[in-house]
Amino acid sequence: METADLKLASDDDVAAASWIKPRLSRAFGAVTRHVPQGYAAYVRICHPAENDAGQQVTWSTVAAATGRQAHPTMQWHALVGSPDSLDMIGSLWPGDNPRRGELDPPTLATLCGALAPHTATPETCYFSLWEGHGWLPDGIPARVHHDYRSYILFTGPLHAAQQLGFHPRPDWFIPQSPNLFWPADQAWCVATEIDFDSTLVGGTSELVHQLLSEPALDAWPVNPDDSLAADADLINLIG
């Protein structure tokens, strides 16, 4: 797991994660159950889907194809007309579903590029990885504990977010985006909950405006108390 840029957290580093838990809401499905309260603005980045030709597409493209409506708190299963939020039984979409629990590498790279100018500490960042990833080596302790998840903590510069992952063999690397990451100055925070097919970012209004303007990101403005639970899509109702 360790590289020249990414290392396991020390005791002092773990203390640097203590600010997050007190700022997490307990409201089920809420944006701020996953990314801390107190930021000026929040954005939801929907993970790309793929069409039947293997090309990445936005959720708006899918909504146009399925006769649904794209909106900030849309849910994928409702967008594709399935009553099943897990297995997508009866889906109207012929392509692949968005990834859950991780950003694909190009989207993560675009996000990190947009985040970098909005922190004074891009060389000192913290990356939390959910302890339940099956590929993690035995013996690495989870040292950051929230009410509903425990994480292994790493440190490094912002670009090291793209170094997390594993080697099934020496010539093959499978990346895994962080489940939670932030800079030392706490200027923003990014959360990719393992059960979600979207990523949440809290930060300044200027940062969120930039993310919403980035054509490579399928980004939507959300409020701290907005729900992203499976039943939150009240526009694309099923049945």
Side-chain angles (χ1 to χ4, degrees):
M1 285 296 301
E2 295 189 15
T3 71
D5 297 319
L6 187 71
K7 62 180 182 178
L8 276 171
S10 67
D11 290 342
D12 289 342
D13 294 323
V14 171
S18 63
W19 67 281
I20 294 179
K21 184 176 178 178
R23 286 173 53 176
L24 294 178
S25 165
R26 291 179 177 271
F28 182 77
V31 167
T32 50
R33 183 176 169 87
H34 306 286
V35 67
Q37 302 174 81
Y39 285 109
Y42 295 84
V43 66
R44 178 191 187 195
I45 299 170
C46 295
H47 299 173
E50 289 188 357
N51 62 20
D52 53 4
Q55 300 165 322
Q56 287 194 343
V57 295
T58 66
W59 289 29
S60 294
T61 299
V62 174
T66 60
R68 267 50 180 189
Q69 181 177 334
H71 61 95
T73 58
M74 59 188 157
Q75 289 294 302
W76 176 257
H77 72 282
L79 210 62
V80 300
S82 172
D84 186 335
S85 63
L86 295 177
D87 296 325
M88 306 302 155
I89 295 171
S91 173
L92 302 173
W93 180 245
D96 287 341
N97 302 318
R99 299 187 188 195
R100 288 183 182 268
E102 65 174 335
L103 281 167
D104 64 289
T107 304
L108 178 61
T110 297
L111 176 59
C112 288
L115 293 169
H118 294 273
T119 172
T121 59
E123 295 303 311
T124 305
C125 293
Y126 301 91
F127 311 97
S128 294
L129 197 64
W130 177 54
E131 66 172 350
H133 291 294
W135 53 266
L136 285 167
D138 294 336
I140 300 180
R143 303 179 67 193
V144 175
H145 304 282
H146 296 164
D147 290 343
Y148 51 93
R149 297 283 185 230
S150 293
Y151 302 95
I152 297 167
L153 187 65
F154 300 85
T155 64
L158 178 56
H159 67 80
Q162 300 167 69
Q163 297 177 359
L164 283 167
F166 65 106
H167 291 273
R169 59 176 187 251
D171 61 342
W172 182 17
F173 177 68
I174 298 178
Q176 168 67 54
S177 65
N179 295 111
L180 192 67
F181 67 102
W182 66 94
D185 64 3
Q186 303 171 14
W188 43 258
C189 188
V190 179
T192 306
E193 159 60 29
I194 61 167
D195 290 331
F196 281 6
D197 44 22
S198 57
T199 289
L200 298 167
V201 183
T204 64
S205 298
E206 292 78 12
L207 168 60
V208 168
H209 176 75
Q210 180 177 343
L211 295 178
L212 292 172
S213 302
E214 172 55 62
L217 298 177
D218 189 3
W220 298 81
V222 288
N223 297 311
D225 296 329
D226 282 347
S227 175
L228 298 178
D231 60 355
D233 192 336
L234 302 181
I235 294 177
N236 300 299
L237 297 175
I238 305 298

